[in-house]
Amino acid sequence: MPFTFVSSFARLTPTPAAHPMTPAPATQAPPLSFEDTRVAFASKSDFQLRKVYGLFAAMNNGTLVKTGSGLMKSALKWGIPGTKFLIKHSIFEQFCGGETIAECRPVTTELGKYHIGTILDYSVEGEGSDASYDRTRDEVLATIDEAHRSAHIPFSVFKVTGVADVAILEKIQAGQLLTPAEEAAHNRALARVEALCARAHQHGVRLFIDAEESWFQHTIDLLTYDMMAKYNREKAIVWNTYQLYRHDRLDALKQAHDTAAEAGYYLGVKLVRGAYMEKEARVAKQRGQQNPINPTKQATDDLYDESLRYCIDHIDRISFCAGTHNEASSLLLTQLMQQAGLAPGDPRVWFAQLYGMSDNLTYNLANAGYNTAKYLPYGPVAAVMPYLLRRADENTAIAGQTSREFLLVQKELRRRQSN
């Protein structure tokens, strides 16, 4: 679904002569190994590491995860005493920063000691009302303000569906006329997005807009590019997200670059593999449409790596973040940067992983001088349960294979015991 958007303000502003963030002179990065568990778990005491070991050991038991997930949801629903405490000091503690921004600050500070940034991610799913959309807007505004005050928070992030009605976004993409009430609701949603982007621009805080399902992603894309055309004149403030498990996303990225270059603004890009594969396939089948997802994982990996190359080749216009837990792609990006003569700390290139996962990537990249950040979800325990259960599912053993996380923790414990 390629976009044809050209913003009105994009046509009025001349193209900048050069990128305002001139990179530091290229330097040779220190040796990098994602197998270095000493660096990966340097922030954890023996007690903390054993606790993580126990958690991942439990998550490698598929039956336990399935049973435990159901019990946790039921216990929270019934208000069984001690449930919240147990969850908060186990799986929640591993994958989330806290229930509030204030509770996240110790984590942000701790990550900052290792030159790792924090991306505060308010992980509460919307309730579908104007009141809930306004609460989400206000919470994201608070994360932007927190990023402005902190040296350790390089990005803020939000989902458009957190501040807008999904049905209306889908209706717009389908080319259907909105009713007067829907038009009014959509205008309120646009105002919320505008408020977030304006605050980010005011404070100079980079703002990720997350990707979502394909049947309304085009609507999100157009809105995001509109915000870029307004706020990315001096540097990339607003960043769009491209899910490379979709076979059309590199083409969309290329067209976005060409539009930005012609209209005179900078393109902010976050590259991920994708989050809705089963849902996309199911909906496409129900609607009698072509599945937008690549036919194989290898095709997705190839498209992702090709997108990394494209961004490096167009670094004069693109600032980008590789949001990935894939070790091969992460290593490739470090090699591409060196080949292009970019310093590890070039401000236009970032790496990001989820908090509680892939510390072997995050800490070793940061230790080698690369710009690296952790997505740090937060919110009330009950509200972020869907997120936590997805993390548990991801770390469950598949076909008898133990998770990478568990093996790395096991390796580090053995290293410490042998010293």
Side-chain angles (χ1 to χ4, degrees):
M1 292 171 286
F3 64 86
T4 55
F5 151 84
V6 177
S7 170
S8 57
F9 17 155
R11 292 192 291 268
L12 299 176
T13 306
T15 302
H19 198 287
M21 302 178 71
T22 302
T27 58
Q28 184 68 32
L32 180 64
S33 170
F34 296 140
E35 296 294 326
D36 192 340
T37 58
R38 179 188 60 81
V39 172
F41 300 110
S43 66
K44 287 183 168 54
S45 66
D46 289 351
F47 172 78
Q48 290 172 323
L49 197 61
R50 284 193 292 270
K51 188 175 179 180
V52 173
Y53 176 86
L55 180 64
F56 279 116
M59 287 193 295
N60 271 285
N61 184 319
T63 301
L64 183 60
V65 168
K66 185 176 181 179
T67 304
S69 297
L71 290 175
M72 282 192 294
K73 287 190 289 186
S74 297
L76 282 172
K77 181 180 179 180
W78 296 335
I80 295 177
T83 301
K84 178 180 174 181
F85 179 87
L86 179 62
I87 295 173
K88 191 168 184 179
H89 293 277
S90 57
I91 188 171
F92 183 93
E93 183 179 67
Q94 176 67 22
F95 298 114
C96 298
E99 294 193 83
T100 65
I101 291 175
E103 286 188 12
C104 291
R105 286 173 186 149
V107 178
T108 297
T109 300
E110 180 66 17
L111 289 171
K113 292 178 183 177
Y114 296 88
H115 308 290
I116 297 167
T118 293
I119 305 168
L120 293 171
D121 184 10
Y122 183 56
S123 298
V124 176
E125 298 182 357
E127 300 170 0
S129 66
D130 273 333
S132 72
Y133 297 146
D134 288 344
R135 284 196 299 271
T136 298
R137 174 204 59 202
D138 293 344
E139 189 66 30
V140 178
L141 286 172
T143 69
I144 294 171
D145 292 342
E146 184 78 0
H148 175 57
R149 292 188 295 265
S150 173
H152 304 310
I153 305 178
F155 297 92
S156 287
V157 62
F158 76 101
K159 283 187 175 182
V160 171
T161 54
V163 297
D165 188 309
V166 174
I168 294 176
L169 297 175
E170 184 176 355
K171 197 170 180 179
I172 292 171
Q173 182 158 317
Q176 300 172 9
L177 292 176
L178 302 183
T179 67
E182 289 171 335
E183 190 72 40
H186 186 57
N187 287 335
R188 291 193 296 273
L190 294 179
R192 295 183 193 104
V193 174
E194 176 79 37
L196 296 174
C197 295
R199 183 72 63 86
H201 181 261
Q202 175 189 347
H203 290 326
V205 173
R206 308 170 187 90
L207 182 63
F208 287 148
I209 297 181
D210 274 344
E212 305 195 50
E213 288 88 342
S214 63
W215 49 93
F216 55 88
Q217 181 60 47
H218 186 54
T219 309
I220 293 174
D221 286 344
L222 296 184
L223 174 57
T224 304
Y225 298 135
D226 202 11
M227 293 296 100
M228 285 188 191
K230 187 172 184 179
Y231 294 112
N232 287 14
R233 292 293 167 180
E234 294 81 28
K235 59 182 179 181
I237 292 293
V238 180
W239 296 44
N240 199 22
T241 304
Y242 298 83
Q243 299 189 107
L244 275 309
Y245 68 176
R246 284 183 54 182
H247 51 69
D248 64 343
R249 289 299 85 188
L250 178 53
D251 288 339
L253 171 60
K254 290 178 178 180
Q255 190 165 356
H257 167 269
D258 293 346
T259 300
E262 180 181 351
Y265 60 87
Y266 294 100
L267 191 66
V269 171
K270 183 176 67 167
L271 302 175
V272 300
R273 276 171 168 75
Y276 311 102
M277 184 166 66
E278 293 81 6
K279 188 176 183 180
E280 289 281 0
R282 182 177 68 252
V283 171
K285 184 177 181 180
Q286 290 171 349
R287 298 182 178 184
Q289 299 171 345
Q290 180 186 6
N291 188 346
I293 306 302
N294 285 316
T296 65
K297 181 183 182 301
Q298 186 60 53
T300 294
D301 290 343
D302 292 344
L303 197 61
Y304 192 94
D305 292 348
E306 190 177 348
S307 299
L308 293 178
R309 294 186 180 91
Y310 183 84
C311 288
I312 288 292
D313 289 344
H314 297 84
I315 197 67
D316 60 326
R317 178 68 53 183
I318 295 175
S319 293
F320 73 104
C321 174
T324 182
H325 292 207
N326 186 285
E327 296 179 17
S329 292
S330 298
L331 185 61
L332 172 64
L333 180 52
T334 67
Q335 295 167 345
L336 292 173
M337 291 177 69
Q338 292 178 35
Q339 292 167 10
L342 301 179
D346 189 292
R348 297 166 295 184
V349 185
W350 283 80
F351 297 78
Q353 290 82 40
L354 296 173
Y355 182 70
M357 296 178 65
S358 297
D359 285 349
N360 64 314
L361 290 181
T362 311
Y363 282 80
N364 279 294
L365 284 165
N367 187 60
Y370 293 95
N371 296 319
T372 311
K374 283 288 198 186
Y375 255 75
L376 188 67
Y378 75 96
V381 171
V384 300
M385 278 304 297
Y387 173 83
L388 293 175
L389 296 179
R390 286 196 295 271
R391 298 291 78 80
D393 286 340
E394 287 176 6
N395 284 280
T396 298
I398 300 174
Q401 296 181 356
T402 306
S403 79
R404 174 71 162 150
E405 306 290 341
F406 180 68
L407 292 174
L408 288 167
V409 173
Q410 191 176 64
K411 178 182 176 181
E412 175 59 10
L413 281 172
R414 288 173 177 167
R415 187 195 70 81
R416 292 185 185 187
Q417 290 167 357
S418 66
N419 288 344

